Amino acid sequence: MTYVVTDNCIGCKYTDCVEVCPVDCFYEGENALVIHPDECIDCGVCEPECPADAIRPDTEPDMDKWVEFNRKYSELWPVIYTKKDPLPDAEKMDGETGKLDKYFSEKPGEGG
């Protein structure tokens, strides 16, 4: 099992999760985070920390696409291990559906 970030993170990018991760397996894009599925130790401490409920275990239904999505971008984006402010419209974007198609950016974040 591993944990993955889903589209609920897009446009919010809360980083409470990265602060508690013991193995620094989060990677930062311009408007979202991902978890490297091979680096995640399945401890689960990140899941309850996410205000947007964007972190899910890969054992839930239909998570295969999110495992591959997280794998792809974790290999392209820089690691993030410090908490940062969420994106300016995070509260407004939290819970919106279809964010992957509408808003996702492949650009890397700053990391750190």
Side-chain angles (χ1 to χ4, degrees):
M1 185 176 88
T2 188
Y3 285 85
V4 293
V5 179
T6 64
D7 63 343
N8 289 348
C9 183
I10 299 167
C12 297
K13 199 166 83 170
Y14 291 104
T15 56
D16 307 62
C17 52
V18 303
E19 193 171 51
V20 298
C21 180
V23 293
D24 298 334
C25 65
F26 281 88
Y27 292 79
E28 182 183 16
E30 180 179 44
N31 68 351
L33 302 174
V34 293
I35 295 171
H36 194 301
D38 297 333
E39 295 174 3
C40 175
I41 60 169
D42 313 326
C43 67
V45 296
C46 58
E47 185 181 19
E49 295 299 318
C50 180
D53 194 31
I55 301 173
R56 313 299 317 153
D58 72 343
T59 54
E60 289 187 0
D62 302 320
M63 286 293 126
D64 289 345
K65 77 173 191 175
W66 291 110
V67 172
E68 291 313 309
F69 177 88
N70 278 248
R71 182 182 313 284
K72 175 181 178 179
Y73 290 102
S74 65
E75 293 174 0
L76 298 173
W77 293 346
V79 69
I80 179 172
Y81 47 84
T82 55
K83 185 176 178 177
K84 299 179 181 182
D85 290 334
L87 294 176
D89 290 334
E91 287 186 30
K92 183 177 92 174
M93 301 272 301
D94 187 1
E96 184 175 334
T97 59
K99 294 196 291 183
L100 180 62
D101 294 328
K102 291 191 268 187
Y103 307 115
F104 178 67
S105 169
E106 292 186 340
K107 295 179 183 176
E110 295 177 7

